[in-house]
Amino acid sequence: VQLQASGGGLVQAGGSLRLSCAASGFTFNRYIMGWFRQVPGKDPEFVSTISASGGNSDYANSVKGRFTISRDNAKNGVYLQMNSLKPEDTAVYLCAAKYYSGVFIYATRADEYDYWGQGTQVTVSS
């Protein structure tokens, strides 16, 4: 199983970035996907999640209206479009996968996820 996040970088406040996560080694369209972010010394913080089909999603209040999650099951990829970035968005962004058991269509807690990628650094300057 591999989750490879990319697309991070340094951007000024108000700018945009698009993160990608390439998945392999599991049946991607049977997994809920999530984005979390982590700063040193803290636990991963929920950012966004998307159902296995891509038809449902959820966001942390802090990013609603600015971030958009999407997925392409044909390409085994999940994406996070981040607009109007703020310095407080600075973190390592991690993608994660959780097997969809047919009960809850998405997941917002880090401990619910089965697989994690290594993350990509996003730095927003003021």
Side-chain angles (χ1 to χ4, degrees):
V1 171
Q2 191 168 13
L3 293 170
Q4 184 74 39
S6 62
L10 174 63
V11 63
Q12 287 189 330
S16 298
L17 283 173
R18 185 175 187 255
L19 305 184
S20 298
C21 178
S24 61
F26 60 99
T27 307
F28 184 72
N29 62 9
R30 293 187 179 182
Y31 280 73
I32 295 162
M33 298 300 295
W35 284 100
F36 289 77
R37 61 191 183 189
Q38 189 172 27
V39 297
K42 292 196 172 182
D43 291 332
E45 174 193 16
F46 168 70
V47 174
S48 183
T49 179
I50 189 165
S51 61
S53 68
N56 298 89
S57 59
D58 196 18
Y59 298 88
N61 287 335
S62 59
V63 307
K64 272 181 185 174
R66 300 189 297 123
F67 291 9
T68 303
I69 192 171
S70 61
R71 66 188 293 161
D72 185 338
N73 283 349
K75 296 183 178 180
N76 285 7
V78 61
Y79 313 97
L80 187 69
Q81 177 66 43
M82 306 188 296
N83 298 331
S84 303
L85 282 161
K86 304 176 181 180
E88 52 263 44
D89 294 319
T90 295
V92 173
Y93 282 71
L94 307 158
C95 61
K98 169 188 163 50
Y99 180 72
Y100 173 53
S101 63
V103 181
F104 298 104
I105 57 173
Y106 50 62
T108 61
R109 294 198 334 259
D111 62 4
E112 296 180 277
Y113 283 79
D114 303 307
Y115 305 126
W116 289 82
Q118 88 293 348
T120 185
Q121 176 71 46
V122 171
T123 304
V124 185
S125 63
S126 57

